[in-house]
Amino acid sequence: MSGYGDLSGKCALITGGGRGIGRAIALEFAAAGANVAINYVGPADEAAETAVECAKFGVKACIVEADVSAAEQVAAMFEQTLAELGRVDILVNNAGITRDGLLLRLADEDYDRVLAVNLRGAFLCMRQAAKLMLKQRSGRIISLSSVVALRGNAGQVNYAASKAGLIGMTKSLARELAGRGVTVNALAPGFIQTAMTDVLPEAAKAKMLATIPAGRMGRPEDVAAAAHFLASDAAAYITGQVLAVDGGMAM
Ligand code: NAD
């Protein structure tokens, strides 16, 4: 655990939390004492394994299935999370996909699916979470944007649009909820070692690496530490912000 602060008694829902950055966030929160709900879509193995690891910290950990792009599944996910954990103090919009291609070759369905999961998914989860957090008069919403939202990336117009959209959504919702004790922020990771980047060709990885002042790819734990900070009491006066966790890529 990075040590920003105690999250004991808090309940966190992490979308797509079974692997990669979401898994690291779930473990970081659990290590800080938070109960965690780990959302997944498709096979449950990774989420179940993550929940077992989280529970070793002595917290409650459950898994909840939902495709975040489907409103009724998101509503059911929040109901199940409330039934298992009793409340939602922290929402992490982490679920995300890429379907890369240069604009002229980008299929309509690849544009639509990326926007549906990355942006509509976050919208649907935020709407459910905001309802609960407004009543509680406290909460934390943290969304995974990307360095690509800030700088653009050839071959990712759909992904960049979704991640830039998340920033506008974050700032607007931050304004709506700021007076009610709820903060809304985004993280903009750079080039992080996960399944999402493992699939890139070696040449593309080397080219990307050359643009990172820190001289290395990020680890999921680097992003989790920043999420922990934004979720903690220490960040109570920080809202509507985009925190880059990118080894200096987007300066
Ligand atoms: P990953 O592919 O390892 O994890 C993504 C998770 O989202 C998976 O568990 C997947 O099952 C889940 N998911 C996908 N579609 C879903 C849906 N419809 N409903 C519910 N869950 C769904 O990727 P990662 O690298 O850990 O990425 C996590 C987040 O961080 C993503 O939003 C990604 O865009 C963002 N990000 C990653 C990087 C990077 O370099 N890896 C950089 C910037 C931002």
Short mmCIF file of all heavy atoms in Angstrom, two decimals, residues 15-23 25 39-43 46 64-70 73 77 93-98 113 116-118 121 143-148 159 162-163 166 187-198 200 217-218 220 223 245, ligand 1:
data_model
loop_
_atom_site.label_atom_id
_atom_site.label_comp_id
_atom_site.label_asym_id
_atom_site.label_seq_id
_atom_site.Cartn_x
_atom_site.Cartn_y
_atom_site.Cartn_z
N THR A 15 -14.94 -0.68 -11.52
CA THR A 15 -15.39 -1.36 -12.74
C THR A 15 -14.18 -1.97 -13.46
O THR A 15 -13.08 -1.41 -13.45
CB THR A 15 -16.16 -0.40 -13.68
OG1 THR A 15 -15.29 0.61 -14.18
CG2 THR A 15 -17.35 0.23 -12.97
N GLY A 16 -14.41 -3.13 -14.05
CA GLY A 16 -13.31 -3.84 -14.72
C GLY A 16 -12.14 -4.09 -13.78
O GLY A 16 -10.98 -4.01 -14.19
N GLY A 17 -12.45 -4.40 -12.52
CA GLY A 17 -11.41 -4.47 -11.50
C GLY A 17 -10.68 -5.80 -11.37
O GLY A 17 -9.89 -5.99 -10.46
N GLY A 18 -10.90 -6.71 -12.29
CA GLY A 18 -10.31 -8.05 -12.17
C GLY A 18 -8.87 -8.15 -12.61
O GLY A 18 -8.17 -9.11 -12.26
N ARG A 19 -8.42 -7.18 -13.37
CA ARG A 19 -7.02 -7.28 -13.84
C ARG A 19 -6.45 -5.88 -14.08
O ARG A 19 -7.18 -4.88 -14.01
CB ARG A 19 -6.95 -8.11 -15.12
CG ARG A 19 -7.56 -7.42 -16.31
CD ARG A 19 -7.42 -8.25 -17.56
NE ARG A 19 -7.54 -7.41 -18.74
CZ ARG A 19 -7.87 -7.84 -19.94
NH1 ARG A 19 -8.12 -9.12 -20.13
NH2 ARG A 19 -7.93 -7.02 -20.97
N GLY A 20 -5.16 -5.83 -14.38
CA GLY A 20 -4.52 -4.59 -14.79
C GLY A 20 -4.63 -3.49 -13.74
O GLY A 20 -4.47 -3.73 -12.54
N ILE A 21 -4.91 -2.29 -14.21
CA ILE A 21 -4.95 -1.12 -13.33
C ILE A 21 -6.08 -1.26 -12.30
O ILE A 21 -5.90 -0.95 -11.12
CB ILE A 21 -5.13 0.16 -14.18
CG1 ILE A 21 -3.86 0.41 -15.02
CG2 ILE A 21 -5.43 1.37 -13.30
CD1 ILE A 21 -3.98 1.52 -16.07
N GLY A 22 -7.24 -1.77 -12.74
CA GLY A 22 -8.37 -1.91 -11.82
C GLY A 22 -8.06 -2.86 -10.68
O GLY A 22 -8.42 -2.61 -9.52
N ARG A 23 -7.36 -3.93 -11.00
CA ARG A 23 -6.97 -4.91 -9.98
C ARG A 23 -6.02 -4.25 -8.97
O ARG A 23 -6.17 -4.43 -7.75
CB ARG A 23 -6.29 -6.10 -10.65
CG ARG A 23 -5.80 -7.15 -9.70
CD ARG A 23 -5.15 -8.31 -10.48
NE ARG A 23 -5.12 -9.51 -9.67
CZ ARG A 23 -4.14 -9.80 -8.82
NH1 ARG A 23 -3.11 -9.00 -8.70
NH2 ARG A 23 -4.18 -10.91 -8.11
N ILE A 25 -5.84 -1.16 -8.21
CA ILE A 25 -6.61 -0.21 -7.40
C ILE A 25 -7.40 -0.96 -6.32
O ILE A 25 -7.43 -0.55 -5.16
CB ILE A 25 -7.53 0.65 -8.29
CG1 ILE A 25 -6.69 1.59 -9.17
CG2 ILE A 25 -8.52 1.46 -7.44
CD1 ILE A 25 -7.48 2.38 -10.21
N ASN A 39 -16.15 -5.29 -10.27
CA ASN A 39 -17.02 -5.54 -11.42
C ASN A 39 -16.25 -6.26 -12.52
O ASN A 39 -15.06 -6.03 -12.72
CB ASN A 39 -17.58 -4.20 -11.94
CG ASN A 39 -17.97 -4.27 -13.40
OD1 ASN A 39 -17.27 -3.73 -14.26
ND2 ASN A 39 -19.05 -4.95 -13.71
N TYR A 40 -16.96 -7.12 -13.24
CA TYR A 40 -16.35 -7.81 -14.37
C TYR A 40 -17.42 -8.06 -15.41
O TYR A 40 -18.63 -7.97 -15.14
CB TYR A 40 -15.73 -9.15 -13.92
CG TYR A 40 -16.77 -10.16 -13.50
CD1 TYR A 40 -17.20 -11.16 -14.38
CD2 TYR A 40 -17.36 -10.08 -12.24
CE1 TYR A 40 -18.18 -12.07 -13.99
CE2 TYR A 40 -18.35 -10.99 -11.86
CZ TYR A 40 -18.75 -11.97 -12.74
OH TYR A 40 -19.73 -12.85 -12.37
N VAL A 41 -16.96 -8.38 -16.62
CA VAL A 41 -17.87 -8.81 -17.67
C VAL A 41 -17.24 -10.06 -18.29
O VAL A 41 -16.02 -10.14 -18.38
CB VAL A 41 -18.10 -7.68 -18.70
CG1 VAL A 41 -16.85 -7.37 -19.52
CG2 VAL A 41 -19.28 -7.97 -19.61
N GLY A 42 -18.06 -11.05 -18.65
CA GLY A 42 -17.50 -12.29 -19.19
C GLY A 42 -17.05 -13.21 -18.06
O GLY A 42 -17.62 -13.16 -16.97
N PRO A 43 -16.00 -14.01 -18.31
CA PRO A 43 -15.57 -14.97 -17.29
C PRO A 43 -15.22 -14.28 -15.97
O PRO A 43 -14.64 -13.20 -15.96
CB PRO A 43 -14.32 -15.60 -17.90
CG PRO A 43 -14.38 -15.31 -19.36
CD PRO A 43 -15.17 -14.06 -19.54
N GLU A 46 -10.77 -13.88 -13.17
CA GLU A 46 -9.82 -12.85 -12.73
C GLU A 46 -10.39 -12.02 -11.59
O GLU A 46 -9.70 -11.71 -10.61
CB GLU A 46 -9.46 -11.92 -13.90
CG GLU A 46 -8.67 -12.61 -14.99
CD GLU A 46 -8.46 -11.73 -16.21
OE1 GLU A 46 -9.33 -10.90 -16.55
OE2 GLU A 46 -7.40 -11.86 -16.85
N VAL A 64 -19.09 -8.45 -8.95
CA VAL A 64 -20.39 -8.10 -9.51
C VAL A 64 -20.29 -8.03 -11.03
O VAL A 64 -19.49 -7.27 -11.59
CB VAL A 64 -20.93 -6.74 -8.97
CG1 VAL A 64 -21.64 -6.93 -7.66
CG2 VAL A 64 -19.84 -5.71 -8.84
N GLU A 65 -21.13 -8.82 -11.68
CA GLU A 65 -21.07 -8.88 -13.14
C GLU A 65 -21.93 -7.77 -13.74
O GLU A 65 -23.04 -7.52 -13.29
CB GLU A 65 -21.59 -10.23 -13.63
CG GLU A 65 -21.45 -10.37 -15.14
CD GLU A 65 -21.80 -11.77 -15.64
OE1 GLU A 65 -22.39 -12.55 -14.87
OE2 GLU A 65 -21.47 -12.06 -16.81
N ALA A 66 -21.41 -7.09 -14.73
CA ALA A 66 -22.19 -6.12 -15.50
C ALA A 66 -21.36 -5.62 -16.67
O ALA A 66 -20.17 -5.37 -16.52
CB ALA A 66 -22.59 -4.91 -14.65
N ASP A 67 -22.01 -5.50 -17.80
CA ASP A 67 -21.42 -4.76 -18.91
C ASP A 67 -21.74 -3.29 -18.62
O ASP A 67 -22.92 -2.91 -18.61
CB ASP A 67 -22.07 -5.23 -20.21
CG ASP A 67 -21.61 -4.42 -21.42
OD1 ASP A 67 -21.06 -3.31 -21.24
OD2 ASP A 67 -21.82 -4.89 -22.55
N VAL A 68 -20.73 -2.49 -18.38
CA VAL A 68 -20.99 -1.11 -17.93
C VAL A 68 -21.71 -0.26 -18.98
O VAL A 68 -22.24 0.80 -18.66
CB VAL A 68 -19.70 -0.38 -17.49
CG1 VAL A 68 -19.11 -1.02 -16.23
CG2 VAL A 68 -18.67 -0.29 -18.61
N SER A 69 -21.74 -0.73 -20.22
CA SER A 69 -22.42 0.06 -21.25
C SER A 69 -23.94 -0.18 -21.27
O SER A 69 -24.66 0.48 -22.01
CB SER A 69 -21.83 -0.26 -22.63
OG SER A 69 -22.16 -1.58 -23.02
N ALA A 70 -24.41 -1.12 -20.46
CA ALA A 70 -25.85 -1.47 -20.45
C ALA A 70 -26.51 -0.94 -19.18
O ALA A 70 -26.19 -1.40 -18.06
CB ALA A 70 -26.01 -2.99 -20.54
N GLN A 73 -27.97 -3.34 -16.57
CA GLN A 73 -26.94 -4.13 -15.88
C GLN A 73 -26.20 -3.28 -14.84
O GLN A 73 -25.81 -3.74 -13.77
CB GLN A 73 -25.95 -4.71 -16.89
CG GLN A 73 -26.57 -5.77 -17.78
CD GLN A 73 -25.54 -6.47 -18.67
OE1 GLN A 73 -24.42 -6.74 -18.28
NE2 GLN A 73 -25.94 -6.77 -19.90
N MET A 77 -25.96 -3.87 -10.92
CA MET A 77 -24.63 -3.92 -10.27
C MET A 77 -24.62 -3.07 -8.99
O MET A 77 -24.09 -3.48 -7.96
CB MET A 77 -23.56 -3.41 -11.25
CG MET A 77 -22.19 -3.20 -10.63
SD MET A 77 -20.96 -2.78 -11.89
CE MET A 77 -21.36 -1.07 -12.21
N ASN A 93 -14.29 4.44 -12.20
CA ASN A 93 -14.63 4.09 -13.58
C ASN A 93 -13.35 3.70 -14.29
O ASN A 93 -12.63 4.53 -14.85
CB ASN A 93 -15.26 5.30 -14.28
CG ASN A 93 -16.66 5.57 -13.83
OD1 ASN A 93 -17.49 4.67 -13.76
ND2 ASN A 93 -16.93 6.82 -13.49
N ASN A 94 -13.08 2.40 -14.22
CA ASN A 94 -11.83 1.88 -14.78
C ASN A 94 -12.05 1.05 -16.05
O ASN A 94 -11.15 0.98 -16.89
CB ASN A 94 -11.14 1.01 -13.70
CG ASN A 94 -10.02 0.19 -14.26
OD1 ASN A 94 -8.93 0.68 -14.50
ND2 ASN A 94 -10.28 -1.10 -14.52
N ALA A 95 -13.23 0.44 -16.18
CA ALA A 95 -13.47 -0.43 -17.35
C ALA A 95 -13.20 0.36 -18.63
O ALA A 95 -13.67 1.49 -18.79
CB ALA A 95 -14.91 -0.94 -17.34
N GLY A 96 -12.46 -0.24 -19.52
CA GLY A 96 -12.16 0.46 -20.77
C GLY A 96 -11.64 -0.51 -21.81
O GLY A 96 -11.09 -1.56 -21.48
N ILE A 97 -11.84 -0.14 -23.07
CA ILE A 97 -11.36 -0.97 -24.17
C ILE A 97 -10.71 -0.09 -25.24
O ILE A 97 -10.95 1.12 -25.28
CB ILE A 97 -12.51 -1.78 -24.83
CG1 ILE A 97 -13.61 -0.85 -25.37
CG2 ILE A 97 -13.09 -2.80 -23.85
CD1 ILE A 97 -14.59 -1.55 -26.30
N THR A 98 -9.93 -0.74 -26.09
CA THR A 98 -9.42 -0.07 -27.29
C THR A 98 -9.88 -0.86 -28.51
O THR A 98 -10.02 -2.11 -28.44
CB THR A 98 -7.87 -0.04 -27.32
OG1 THR A 98 -7.39 -1.36 -27.12
CG2 THR A 98 -7.31 0.88 -26.25
N ARG A 113 -18.52 1.10 -30.14
CA ARG A 113 -18.28 0.24 -28.97
C ARG A 113 -17.33 0.92 -27.97
O ARG A 113 -17.54 0.84 -26.76
CB ARG A 113 -17.74 -1.12 -29.42
CG ARG A 113 -17.67 -2.15 -28.31
CD ARG A 113 -19.04 -2.47 -27.72
NE ARG A 113 -18.94 -3.25 -26.49
CZ ARG A 113 -19.82 -3.23 -25.49
NH1 ARG A 113 -20.91 -2.47 -25.56
NH2 ARG A 113 -19.64 -3.95 -24.40
N ALA A 116 -19.20 3.52 -26.23
CA ALA A 116 -20.23 2.93 -25.35
C ALA A 116 -19.62 2.44 -24.04
O ALA A 116 -20.17 2.70 -22.97
CB ALA A 116 -20.93 1.77 -26.07
N VAL A 117 -18.50 1.75 -24.12
CA VAL A 117 -17.90 1.22 -22.88
C VAL A 117 -17.20 2.33 -22.10
O VAL A 117 -17.45 2.54 -20.91
CB VAL A 117 -16.89 0.08 -23.21
CG1 VAL A 117 -16.16 -0.37 -21.94
CG2 VAL A 117 -17.60 -1.09 -23.87
N ASN A 118 -16.33 3.08 -22.77
CA ASN A 118 -15.46 4.01 -22.06
C ASN A 118 -16.20 5.26 -21.56
O ASN A 118 -15.88 5.78 -20.49
CB ASN A 118 -14.30 4.46 -22.95
CG ASN A 118 -13.40 3.30 -23.37
OD1 ASN A 118 -13.69 2.14 -23.07
ND2 ASN A 118 -12.33 3.60 -24.07
N GLY A 121 -20.44 4.06 -20.41
CA GLY A 121 -20.30 3.23 -19.22
C GLY A 121 -20.02 4.09 -17.99
O GLY A 121 -20.63 3.90 -16.93
N SER A 143 -12.25 8.59 -12.42
CA SER A 143 -12.36 7.94 -13.73
C SER A 143 -11.00 7.85 -14.40
O SER A 143 -10.18 8.76 -14.30
CB SER A 143 -13.33 8.74 -14.64
OG SER A 143 -14.61 8.75 -14.06
N LEU A 144 -10.81 6.73 -15.09
CA LEU A 144 -9.56 6.51 -15.80
C LEU A 144 -9.65 7.12 -17.19
O LEU A 144 -10.26 6.55 -18.09
CB LEU A 144 -9.26 5.01 -15.89
CG LEU A 144 -8.50 4.37 -14.71
CD1 LEU A 144 -7.07 4.87 -14.65
CD2 LEU A 144 -9.18 4.61 -13.38
N SER A 145 -9.05 8.30 -17.32
CA SER A 145 -8.89 8.90 -18.65
C SER A 145 -7.57 8.38 -19.20
O SER A 145 -7.19 7.23 -18.92
CB SER A 145 -8.93 10.43 -18.53
OG SER A 145 -8.73 11.02 -19.78
N SER A 146 -6.84 9.19 -19.94
CA SER A 146 -5.58 8.73 -20.51
C SER A 146 -4.76 9.92 -21.01
O SER A 146 -5.32 10.96 -21.36
CB SER A 146 -5.86 7.81 -21.70
OG SER A 146 -4.69 7.57 -22.44
N VAL A 147 -3.47 9.72 -21.08
CA VAL A 147 -2.58 10.70 -21.69
C VAL A 147 -3.01 10.99 -23.13
O VAL A 147 -2.82 12.09 -23.66
CB VAL A 147 -1.11 10.18 -21.62
CG1 VAL A 147 -0.93 8.96 -22.50
CG2 VAL A 147 -0.11 11.24 -21.99
N VAL A 148 -3.65 9.99 -23.74
CA VAL A 148 -4.10 10.12 -25.12
C VAL A 148 -5.19 11.19 -25.26
O VAL A 148 -5.33 11.83 -26.31
CB VAL A 148 -4.59 8.73 -25.63
CG1 VAL A 148 -5.36 8.82 -26.92
CG2 VAL A 148 -3.39 7.80 -25.79
N TYR A 159 -10.79 6.08 -29.18
CA TYR A 159 -10.34 5.98 -27.79
C TYR A 159 -10.06 7.38 -27.21
O TYR A 159 -10.48 7.70 -26.10
CB TYR A 159 -9.09 5.12 -27.75
CG TYR A 159 -8.52 4.84 -26.38
CD1 TYR A 159 -9.11 3.91 -25.53
CD2 TYR A 159 -7.37 5.49 -25.93
CE1 TYR A 159 -8.57 3.63 -24.28
CE2 TYR A 159 -6.82 5.23 -24.68
CZ TYR A 159 -7.42 4.30 -23.86
OH TYR A 159 -6.89 4.04 -22.61
N SER A 162 -13.22 9.19 -26.45
CA SER A 162 -13.87 8.69 -25.22
C SER A 162 -13.15 9.19 -23.98
O SER A 162 -13.78 9.58 -22.99
CB SER A 162 -13.92 7.15 -25.23
OG SER A 162 -12.65 6.58 -25.01
N LYS A 163 -11.83 9.21 -24.02
CA LYS A 163 -11.06 9.60 -22.84
C LYS A 163 -11.08 11.12 -22.63
O LYS A 163 -11.02 11.59 -21.49
CB LYS A 163 -9.63 9.07 -22.95
CG LYS A 163 -9.53 7.56 -22.94
CD LYS A 163 -10.06 6.97 -21.64
CE LYS A 163 -9.92 5.45 -21.56
NZ LYS A 163 -10.45 4.91 -20.30
N LEU A 166 -14.41 11.92 -21.14
CA LEU A 166 -14.43 11.65 -19.69
C LEU A 166 -13.95 12.86 -18.90
O LEU A 166 -14.40 13.09 -17.77
CB LEU A 166 -13.49 10.47 -19.39
CG LEU A 166 -14.09 9.10 -19.25
CD1 LEU A 166 -12.98 8.09 -18.96
CD2 LEU A 166 -15.11 9.07 -18.11
N LEU A 187 -7.93 10.39 -13.63
CA LEU A 187 -6.50 10.07 -13.74
C LEU A 187 -6.17 9.94 -15.22
O LEU A 187 -6.99 9.42 -15.98
CB LEU A 187 -6.20 8.74 -13.03
CG LEU A 187 -6.37 8.75 -11.51
CD1 LEU A 187 -6.31 7.33 -10.96
CD2 LEU A 187 -5.28 9.62 -10.88
N ALA A 188 -5.02 10.41 -15.59
CA ALA A 188 -4.60 10.26 -16.99
C ALA A 188 -3.28 9.49 -17.02
O ALA A 188 -2.20 10.07 -17.07
CB ALA A 188 -4.44 11.64 -17.64
N PRO A 189 -3.40 8.15 -16.98
CA PRO A 189 -2.18 7.34 -17.04
C PRO A 189 -1.50 7.48 -18.40
O PRO A 189 -2.16 7.74 -19.42
CB PRO A 189 -2.69 5.90 -16.84
CG PRO A 189 -4.07 6.03 -16.30
CD PRO A 189 -4.61 7.31 -16.85
N GLY A 190 -0.20 7.27 -18.37
CA GLY A 190 0.56 7.28 -19.62
C GLY A 190 0.58 5.88 -20.19
O GLY A 190 -0.47 5.32 -20.54
N PHE A 191 1.77 5.30 -20.25
CA PHE A 191 1.97 4.01 -20.89
C PHE A 191 2.23 2.99 -19.78
O PHE A 191 3.33 2.91 -19.24
CB PHE A 191 3.17 4.16 -21.81
CG PHE A 191 3.43 3.04 -22.76
CD1 PHE A 191 2.41 2.32 -23.34
CD2 PHE A 191 4.74 2.72 -23.11
CE1 PHE A 191 2.67 1.29 -24.23
CE2 PHE A 191 5.02 1.70 -24.00
CZ PHE A 191 3.98 0.99 -24.55
N ILE A 192 1.18 2.25 -19.43
CA ILE A 192 1.22 1.38 -18.25
C ILE A 192 1.25 -0.08 -18.69
O ILE A 192 0.52 -0.47 -19.61
CB ILE A 192 -0.02 1.61 -17.35
CG1 ILE A 192 -0.27 3.12 -17.10
CG2 ILE A 192 0.11 0.84 -16.03
CD1 ILE A 192 0.79 3.85 -16.35
N GLN A 193 2.09 -0.87 -18.00
CA GLN A 193 2.24 -2.27 -18.39
C GLN A 193 1.04 -3.11 -17.94
O GLN A 193 0.91 -3.46 -16.77
CB GLN A 193 3.50 -2.82 -17.73
CG GLN A 193 4.03 -4.01 -18.46
CD GLN A 193 5.51 -4.24 -18.16
OE1 GLN A 193 6.11 -3.56 -17.34
NE2 GLN A 193 6.07 -5.22 -18.82
N THR A 194 0.14 -3.40 -18.89
CA THR A 194 -1.04 -4.25 -18.63
C THR A 194 -1.35 -5.02 -19.92
O THR A 194 -0.70 -4.82 -20.94
CB THR A 194 -2.29 -3.41 -18.28
OG1 THR A 194 -2.70 -2.69 -19.45
CG2 THR A 194 -2.06 -2.45 -17.13
N ALA A 195 -2.43 -5.82 -19.85
CA ALA A 195 -2.86 -6.58 -21.03
C ALA A 195 -3.16 -5.63 -22.20
O ALA A 195 -2.98 -5.99 -23.37
CB ALA A 195 -4.09 -7.40 -20.68
N MET A 196 -3.61 -4.41 -21.86
CA MET A 196 -3.98 -3.45 -22.91
C MET A 196 -2.76 -3.04 -23.75
O MET A 196 -2.87 -2.83 -24.94
CB MET A 196 -4.63 -2.21 -22.28
CG MET A 196 -5.24 -1.27 -23.27
SD MET A 196 -6.11 0.10 -22.48
CE MET A 196 -7.75 -0.56 -22.29
N THR A 197 -1.61 -2.93 -23.08
CA THR A 197 -0.40 -2.50 -23.80
C THR A 197 0.48 -3.68 -24.20
O THR A 197 1.31 -3.55 -25.10
CB THR A 197 0.42 -1.50 -22.94
OG1 THR A 197 0.57 -2.05 -21.63
CG2 THR A 197 -0.27 -0.17 -22.84
N ASP A 198 0.27 -4.84 -23.56
CA ASP A 198 1.06 -6.03 -23.91
C ASP A 198 0.88 -6.42 -25.38
O ASP A 198 1.78 -6.96 -26.00
CB ASP A 198 0.65 -7.24 -23.04
CG ASP A 198 1.22 -7.13 -21.62
OD1 ASP A 198 2.10 -6.28 -21.40
OD2 ASP A 198 0.76 -7.88 -20.74
N LEU A 200 0.65 -4.55 -27.94
CA LEU A 200 1.26 -3.65 -28.93
C LEU A 200 2.53 -4.28 -29.50
O LEU A 200 3.28 -4.95 -28.78
CB LEU A 200 1.60 -2.30 -28.28
CG LEU A 200 0.41 -1.46 -27.80
CD1 LEU A 200 0.89 -0.25 -27.00
CD2 LEU A 200 -0.43 -1.01 -28.99
N MET A 217 8.12 2.28 -18.57
CA MET A 217 6.66 2.18 -18.55
C MET A 217 6.18 2.29 -17.11
O MET A 217 6.93 2.01 -16.18
CB MET A 217 6.22 0.82 -19.11
CG MET A 217 6.34 0.70 -20.60
SD MET A 217 5.81 -0.94 -21.15
CE MET A 217 4.02 -0.76 -21.13
N GLY A 218 4.92 2.70 -16.97
CA GLY A 218 4.35 2.75 -15.62
C GLY A 218 3.89 1.38 -15.18
O GLY A 218 3.69 0.48 -16.01
N PRO A 220 0.85 -0.72 -12.91
CA PRO A 220 -0.51 -0.50 -12.40
C PRO A 220 -0.50 0.11 -11.00
O PRO A 220 -1.33 0.94 -10.66
CB PRO A 220 -1.10 -1.92 -12.40
CG PRO A 220 -0.37 -2.63 -13.49
CD PRO A 220 1.03 -2.09 -13.47
N VAL A 223 -0.47 3.88 -10.76
CA VAL A 223 -1.79 4.49 -10.96
C VAL A 223 -2.65 4.29 -9.70
O VAL A 223 -3.37 5.20 -9.27
CB VAL A 223 -2.50 3.89 -12.20
CG1 VAL A 223 -3.83 4.59 -12.44
CG2 VAL A 223 -1.60 4.01 -13.43
N VAL A 245 -0.49 10.44 -14.59
CA VAL A 245 0.42 9.48 -13.94
C VAL A 245 1.17 8.83 -15.10
O VAL A 245 0.78 7.78 -15.61
CB VAL A 245 -0.37 8.42 -13.14
CG1 VAL A 245 0.59 7.52 -12.37
CG2 VAL A 245 -1.35 9.08 -12.17
P1 NAD B 1 -7.19 -4.07 -19.14
O1 NAD B 1 -7.65 -4.42 -20.50
O2 NAD B 1 -6.20 -4.92 -18.44
O3 NAD B 1 -8.45 -3.89 -18.14
C1 NAD B 1 -9.66 -3.38 -18.57
C2 NAD B 1 -10.74 -4.03 -17.74
O4 NAD B 1 -12.02 -3.52 -18.17
C3 NAD B 1 -10.80 -5.55 -17.93
O5 NAD B 1 -10.96 -6.17 -16.67
C4 NAD B 1 -12.03 -5.76 -18.80
O6 NAD B 1 -12.67 -7.00 -18.60
C5 NAD B 1 -12.90 -4.61 -18.31
N1 NAD B 1 -13.97 -4.29 -19.25
C6 NAD B 1 -13.90 -4.12 -20.59
N2 NAD B 1 -15.11 -3.88 -21.11
C7 NAD B 1 -15.99 -3.89 -20.07
C8 NAD B 1 -17.39 -3.71 -19.97
N3 NAD B 1 -18.14 -3.48 -21.04
N4 NAD B 1 -17.96 -3.79 -18.74
C9 NAD B 1 -17.21 -4.05 -17.63
N5 NAD B 1 -15.88 -4.23 -17.68
C10 NAD B 1 -15.28 -4.15 -18.88
O7 NAD B 1 -6.65 -2.58 -19.27
P2 NAD B 1 -5.89 -1.61 -18.24
O8 NAD B 1 -4.65 -1.21 -18.90
O9 NAD B 1 -5.87 -2.14 -16.87
O10 NAD B 1 -6.88 -0.34 -18.32
C11 NAD B 1 -7.72 0.11 -17.27
C12 NAD B 1 -8.21 1.51 -17.61
O11 NAD B 1 -7.09 2.39 -17.69
C13 NAD B 1 -8.92 1.60 -18.97
O12 NAD B 1 -9.99 2.50 -18.86
C14 NAD B 1 -7.84 2.14 -19.87
O13 NAD B 1 -8.38 2.82 -20.97
C15 NAD B 1 -7.10 3.07 -18.92
N6 NAD B 1 -5.73 3.37 -19.34
C16 NAD B 1 -4.80 2.37 -19.53
C17 NAD B 1 -3.51 2.72 -19.93
C18 NAD B 1 -2.42 1.70 -20.15
O14 NAD B 1 -1.35 2.10 -20.64
N7 NAD B 1 -2.59 0.45 -19.82
C19 NAD B 1 -3.18 4.06 -20.14
C20 NAD B 1 -4.16 5.04 -19.94
C21 NAD B 1 -5.44 4.68 -19.53
#
